[in-house]
Amino acid sequence: MKNNIYWESFKTFFKIGIFTLGGGYAMIPLIEEEVVNKHRWVEKDEMLDLIAIAQSCPGVFAINIATFIGYKLNKTRGAIATTIGTALPSFLIILLIAIFFSQFKDNPYVAAMFRGIRPAVVALIAVPTFNLGKRAQLNVWTIWIPVVSALLIWLLGVSPIWIIIAAGIGGYIYGRIAK
Amino acid sequence: MMIYLNLFITFFKIGLFGFGGGYGMLSLIQHETVERWQWLSSSDFTDIVAISQMTPGPIGINSATYCGYTACANAGFSMPMSILGSATATFALVLPSLILMILISKMFMRFMHHHSVESVFRGLRPAVVGLLAAATLLLCTSENFSTPTENLWQFCISCFLFLAAFYGVKVVKINPIRMILYCALAGLVLLYE
């Protein structure tokens, strides 16, 4: 029975890993369906809490959720099983592509396609910038934070890690003062 | 052999500080792999993001796997050694999440709604927007867009595809994967050399 639930949770998150296309928030309904409705590993209210925590913590969202649920089922070993389950499909698929792509990269047709794709990818990263900005509810008093952060990284080559650390400390101090 | 240690440390750091989901993580990956270690060129990175977006799985995992592989391959390693590189990067990216989430489940669950923790997150949210903006700006390179002097035709087409993709995904809400396929087709027709 114990072995069974390791395997069951590994399989479930393997499936979630395969079917997450485009990544991010698109996978929440699938996780809820599997984990809450089908297997009843977590209550619906608890799931909302887990999603909120997994989103605010660093790291890949899907991995964070997988670790939480794996740990809840079987402690540390359960967490390792679900984490491997989530990461494995990506790892295998990308590996296959990486091995073969290097052979097609210099093909003139493939090269032409990627010349068209590259500007689109830059746009695809620009879009969530605006979406996240909306969700962060930026206003006249906070808009300087992303602007200054972006300029520091872009023009002065400051590591984004320093920006993250500074923003976290800044938020903490501000919370102290405002309280 | 140093490259494996460096890959491990780099992707562990990215996993530890990668706030704001897959896209937020991209600016860290870009900074570390392209600017700092120069394992990848700017166009390598853009290609990796495109492929990570189009294939199943979380973007963070996909791009870490791919970056690890390409970093070793670019450094002249053989295929099995490059596979080891991609395994290193993926494992290192996942490890901080695993440790952190277990710690939170074990003892910090009740602190997550604490005033101080919420203040920290309130500071992080606007900064992550800046990280993404920086990633966008840093990718506006001649490798991705060409330049008016180098190839005027490609530069104009690139700018047009950028605007079209932005408008298509943001306003018309076209699925990003479909948008990439449209732009691949446009590249094939307009930018074939």
Side-chain angles (χ1 to χ4, degrees):
Chain A
M1 185 62 208
K2 251 247 120 155
N3 271 329
N4 230 352
I5 196 148
Y6 284 122
W7 176 238
E8 198 58 42
S9 59
F10 172 85
K11 248 183 10 193
T12 302
F13 278 93
F14 190 88
K15 204 161 100 185
I16 291 170
I18 289 187
F19 289 109
T20 311
L21 245 145
Y25 308 109
M27 65 185 306
I28 294 178
L30 179 65
I31 297 182
E32 276 191 320
E33 175 59 32
E34 287 288 327
V35 171
V36 180
N37 299 339
K38 200 170 145 201
H39 294 288
R40 299 182 189 278
W41 286 329
V42 188
E43 294 292 318
K44 187 143 180 99
D45 288 347
E46 198 184 354
M47 190 67 203
L48 289 179
D49 238 21
L50 290 186
I51 289 174
I53 296 172
Q55 272 176 345
S56 25
C57 283
V60 177
F61 173 70
I63 297 287
N64 290 352
I65 283 277
T67 311
F68 262 138
I69 291 164
Y71 186 83
K72 192 176 148 61
L73 291 174
N74 290 309
K75 301 289 163 195
T76 305
R77 275 199 281 172
I80 293 172
T82 50
T83 304
I84 294 176
T86 315
L88 201 59
S90 288
F91 181 72
L92 296 176
I93 294 169
I94 289 291
L95 216 51
L96 273 180
I97 294 174
I99 290 167
F100 291 109
F101 182 63
S102 54
Q103 290 165 21
F104 293 109
K105 214 173 160 183
D106 300 322
N107 175 294
Y109 296 106
V110 176
M113 283 197 270
F114 272 87
R115 274 196 285 275
I117 287 175
R118 282 180 202 135
V121 169
V122 181
L124 287 184
I125 297 176
V127 171
T129 311
F130 290 91
N131 294 344
L132 266 182
K134 210 168 170 188
R135 217 174 314 137
Q137 293 170 325
L138 294 172
N139 56 43
V140 209
W141 304 107
T142 51
I143 189 77
W144 67 272
I145 301 174
V147 172
V148 171
S149 312
L151 291 178
L152 284 174
I153 299 170
W154 182 44
L155 295 178
L156 299 180
V158 174
S159 166
I161 292 175
W162 292 118
I163 304 290
I164 291 279
I165 294 172
I169 294 174
Y172 177 77
I173 293 171
Y174 182 81
R176 275 275 145 124
I177 297 168
K179 194 173 153 192
Chain B
M1 284 304 123
M2 275 308 279
I3 196 169
Y4 295 105
L5 184 64
N6 289 334
L7 273 174
F8 183 85
I9 296 171
T10 301
F11 278 92
F12 189 87
K13 270 200 307 201
I14 293 169
L16 192 58
F17 291 99
F19 287 91
Y23 282 105
M25 206 173 257
L26 285 182
S27 85
L28 270 85
I29 299 181
Q30 199 257 3
H31 185 268
E32 292 286 328
T33 59
V34 181
E35 315 277 319
R36 179 153 178 237
W37 290 103
Q38 305 189 330
W39 285 322
L40 315 172
S41 68
S42 184
S43 64
D44 277 340
F45 180 77
T46 333
D47 293 352
I48 286 173
V49 175
I51 292 169
S52 300
Q53 173 94 36
M54 284 187 286
T55 44
I59 291 179
I61 301 281
N62 288 352
S63 40
T65 305
Y66 213 141
C67 284
Y69 186 91
T70 314
C72 290
N74 283 353
F77 285 92
S78 65
M79 196 227 281
M81 294 312 268
S82 302
I83 293 177
L84 184 64
S86 72
T88 308
T90 312
F91 175 67
L93 183 81
V94 168
L95 198 57
S97 282
L98 191 68
I99 297 171
L100 203 64
M101 292 303 118
I102 290 177
L103 282 179
I104 290 177
S105 306
K106 248 187 177 145
M107 41 193 132
F108 297 119
M109 207 58 145
R110 59 210 160 93
F111 290 121
M112 292 311 286
H113 296 295
H114 193 272
H115 180 73
S116 307
V117 177
E118 283 182 353
S119 309
V120 171
F121 287 137
R122 210 168 306 141
L124 288 179
R125 256 171 250 137
V128 169
V129 179
L131 254 60
L132 273 177
T136 311
L137 292 169
L138 283 166
L139 287 175
C140 293
T141 59
S142 59
E143 281 182 72
N144 289 330
F145 285 82
S146 188
T147 56
T149 46
E150 193 184 306
N151 186 338
L152 183 61
W153 168 250
Q154 190 188 339
F155 179 75
C156 292
I157 297 292
S158 295
C159 291
F160 171 75
L161 289 178
F162 172 84
L163 293 173
F166 186 86
Y167 184 80
V169 175
K170 177 99 178 95
V171 183
V172 192
K173 310 271 182 219
I174 297 174
N175 181 304
I177 298 163
R178 184 167 295 178
M179 197 70 235
I180 291 180
L181 294 177
Y182 290 153
C183 290
L185 194 67
L188 195 59
V189 175
L190 300 169
L191 299 173
Y192 183 81
E193 284 169 2

